[in-house]
Amino acid sequence: MEKIYNITAAVDADIAGEWLDEAVSSFLPALMAVPGVLNVELIEVQAPEAPKESRTFTVQIRFADPGALETFLSQQEQRVEKELFEKFGNKYVTFRLQLNSLHRL
């Protein structure tokens, strides 16, 4: 099944709209241009207990095979996030997960 790479970002609320615009206009298209990427989805995380001073987003990147994910991690990840990080690097933090899709209906 597919390999999924999940990037979750906690973004300072005061720049969240601008971060979101930049992610949609540059980061997501750069991800879609990576060989082996099947699709990219940007999701806003809704949690009542979340701090009001930040908004949380997750980007799920689905890869056709494990090799495509490994190539992305070793050669392309920093390049595709470069503009976003240069502009907002001190205003958001991320954590990343690798997921295996086991079953989908």
Side-chain angles (χ1 to χ4, degrees):
M1 292 290 282
E2 298 169 341
K3 296 292 277 186
I4 303 164
Y5 191 59
N6 188 86
I7 303 170
T8 299
V11 181
D12 288 358
D14 61 329
I15 59 99
E18 191 178 355
W19 184 93
L20 193 56
D21 290 343
E22 186 72 26
V24 169
S25 67
S26 69
F27 183 51
L28 301 181
L31 289 169
M32 278 304 303
V34 170
V37 169
L38 297 173
N39 62 54
V40 176
E41 184 174 4
L42 175 63
I43 302 162
E44 184 165 8
V45 178
Q46 302 288 311
E49 66 280 355
K52 301 293 183 224
E53 58 273 359
S54 68
R55 289 173 64 187
T56 303
F57 303 95
T58 190
V59 176
Q60 289 195 342
I61 311 153
R62 293 182 179 266
F63 291 86
D65 61 72
L69 172 58
E70 293 308 317
T71 299
F72 170 74
L73 293 174
S74 66
Q75 299 175 13
Q76 299 158 327
E77 182 177 22
Q78 290 181 343
R79 178 187 56 80
V80 298
E81 192 178 6
K82 183 179 180 188
E83 288 180 38
L84 198 60
F85 187 76
E86 285 177 351
K87 193 167 187 177
F88 304 108
N90 62 341
K91 295 283 192 170
Y92 76 103
V93 295
T94 63
F95 69 90
R96 296 147 195 268
L97 300 169
Q98 292 185 39
L99 309 168
N100 292 318
S101 174
L102 300 177
H103 184 78
R104 183 172 34 176
L105 299 176

